């Protein structure tokens, strides 16, 4: 059994997964805001670094 499988999802499955991740992140951030506030710049830099690879792969031809 393969742990990671390649699967083509429907557009609504991908959309629902994105909304879940977005709303879960909001809930976690609201609950732990006092602990996360001193590290907000570290989270912002991590988000930008994690977004670079998919953006380059998307626009690269």
């Amino acid at each position: 059994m393969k742990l990671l499988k390649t699967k083509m999802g429907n557009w609504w499955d991908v959309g629902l997964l994105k909304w879940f991740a977005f709303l879960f992140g909001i809930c976690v951030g609201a609950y732990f805001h006092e602990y996360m506030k001193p590290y907000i710049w570290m989270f912002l830099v991590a988000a930008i670094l994690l977004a670079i690879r998919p953006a380059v792969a998307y626009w690269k031809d």
Side-chain angles (χ1 to χ4, degrees):
M1 180 175 97
K2 289 176 60 176
L3 182 61
L4 300 173
K5 295 187 247 181
T6 303
K7 180 179 184 254
M8 290 294 296
N10 297 327
W11 64 269
W12 59 83
D13 290 336
V14 175
L16 289 174
L17 181 63
K18 286 183 178 188
W19 273 105
F20 164 75
F22 174 71
L23 293 174
F24 184 75
I26 287 175
C27 292
V28 169
Y31 190 75
F32 294 112
H33 72 279
E34 293 177 4
Y35 303 110
M36 296 175 133
K37 196 167 185 177
Y39 305 108
I40 192 70
W41 290 108
M42 191 168 32
F43 289 120
L44 185 61
V45 169
I48 291 170
L49 289 175
L50 290 172
I52 289 173
R53 166 65 169 94
V56 169
Y58 179 76
W59 281 298
K60 185 179 176 185
D61 251 342

